[in-house]
Amino acid sequence: MLDVILIPALADNYIHLVHDRESGVVGVVDPAEVEPVEAELARRGWRLTHILNTHHHADHTAGNEELKRKWRVPVIGPGADRDRIPAIDEAYGEGDTFRFGDRPVRVFDTPGHTRGHIAFWFEDAGALFSGDTLFSLGCGRLFEGRPDQMWDSLSKLRALPPETRVYCGHEYTASNGRFALSIDPDNTALKARMAEVQLLRADGQPTLPSTIALERAANPFLRADDPDLAAAVGLAGAAPAEVLGEIRRRKDHFRA
Ligand code: ZN
Ligand code: FE
């Protein structure tokens, strides 16, 4: 059994604590801050054993050095960005697998938001940590990559089993959904998801985890190869990467 605890951090980040009940190992995914991680570890009586980073941005790595110093645990991150991950010990990329307790964790290269970005798939537990590549109802901004790279990255994640739970790096679901509805207003899966999101947020609850099935149905960035969505953004017949680029450009300028 794998427990995943969401820790809200900074304005809208999530730090994820991952606890394997069989072996007792505990990983922290993208520690933006130290204090809330320490508080949660103390509350549960858990000892940290791994630090995992999806990408180099400070809102995902700022806690690395202090947590590593205190717990003397390895920092695991993207090989393509090893020079920008504070205190990195183990660098991984596409197709690599490492062990977390007795579980295999599979790594995907998912560039686009940053040059080196990885996602962690805990295959036997059905959990994906997607960082700032795949958000619920959205995707990361293209700071260091191109639309075709993001499309390739999202296509890998989209191919995971539909029941896979998706844990991403930010609580952006409501604003992502408002944008998604602006280009895909008749999508019933999207409308149902947004109704659920509004209830959760009104109650102060996270909208995560999502699932691959839900995102495939409702997330416009995973649907850039859908002819209806291409037509809706004026790009009927265009390649998916081009459609994704247009949707991302519109999202960058969307205000609602
Ligand atoms: Zn980021
Ligand atoms: Fe971020």
Side-chain angles (χ1 to χ4, degrees):
M1 175 83 184
L2 193 75
D3 301 306
V4 181
I5 310 299
L6 279 69
I7 305 175
L10 305 178
D12 50 32
N13 279 75
Y14 285 120
I15 302 168
H16 303 285
L17 267 191
V18 187
H19 171 245
D20 177 58
R21 290 193 190 176
E22 285 72 38
S23 64
V25 301
V26 177
V28 62
V29 181
D30 287 349
E33 299 181 276
V34 171
E35 187 278 324
V37 174
E38 292 290 358
E40 197 65 39
L41 289 169
R43 184 174 310 130
R44 294 174 183 275
W46 291 351
R47 299 183 60 81
L48 190 68
T49 59
H50 298 69
I51 298 169
L52 280 62
N53 293 144
T54 60
H55 66 295
H56 76 90
H57 284 155
D59 64 316
H60 300 256
T61 60
N64 279 14
E65 284 170 330
E66 190 175 338
L67 288 168
K68 177 176 170 173
R69 207 178 309 123
K70 168 161 184 198
W71 295 96
R72 304 185 177 278
V73 297
V75 174
I76 294 167
D81 250 337
R82 83 175 67 214
D83 53 334
R84 295 195 288 181
I85 302 288
I88 191 168
D89 296 295
E90 298 176 28
Y92 295 115
E94 183 70 21
D96 286 340
T97 300
F98 64 91
R99 300 205 77 78
F100 185 81
D102 292 324
R103 297 170 186 278
V105 180
R106 291 177 57 176
V107 174
F108 299 100
D109 273 328
T110 57
H113 176 67
T114 55
R115 181 186 71 205
H117 188 298
I118 55 176
F120 300 101
W121 183 35
F122 288 67
E123 179 174 4
D124 60 356
L128 173 73
F129 296 88
S130 61
D132 288 1
T133 297
L134 173 61
F135 293 129
S136 186
L137 305 181
C139 76
R141 275 182 190 257
L142 299 177
F143 286 122
E144 301 175 6
R146 303 182 308 266
D148 60 300
Q149 291 174 314
M150 182 57 91
W151 175 245
D152 285 347
S153 296
L154 293 176
S155 297
K156 292 177 199 173
L157 304 184
R158 185 177 76 162
L160 295 177
E163 64 277 12
T164 306
R165 300 186 309 286
V166 178
Y167 297 90
C168 57
H170 289 269
E171 181 58 70
Y172 288 161
T173 315
S175 61
N176 284 341
R178 285 192 289 275
F179 167 73
L181 283 168
S182 77
I183 58 170
D184 197 13
D186 300 322
N187 184 323
T188 52
L190 174 57
K191 288 191 279 190
R193 171 66 166 153
M194 280 301 277
E196 176 197 34
V197 164
Q198 265 144 25
L199 290 174
L200 288 168
R201 296 311 290 158
D203 195 32
Q205 299 296 316
T207 62
L208 307 180
S210 184
T211 64
I212 291 293
L214 197 159
E215 297 306 317
R216 287 186 68 126
N219 186 328
F221 296 94
L222 292 192
R223 300 182 56 246
D225 59 348
D226 183 308
D228 293 338
L229 199 61
V233 295
L235 286 173
E242 190 183 342
V243 175
L244 184 144
E246 173 63 15
I247 298 172
R248 187 60 256 180
R249 193 188 63 75
R250 290 187 184 204
K251 174 68 170 72
D252 289 346
H253 297 104
F254 184 73
R255 294 287 174 272

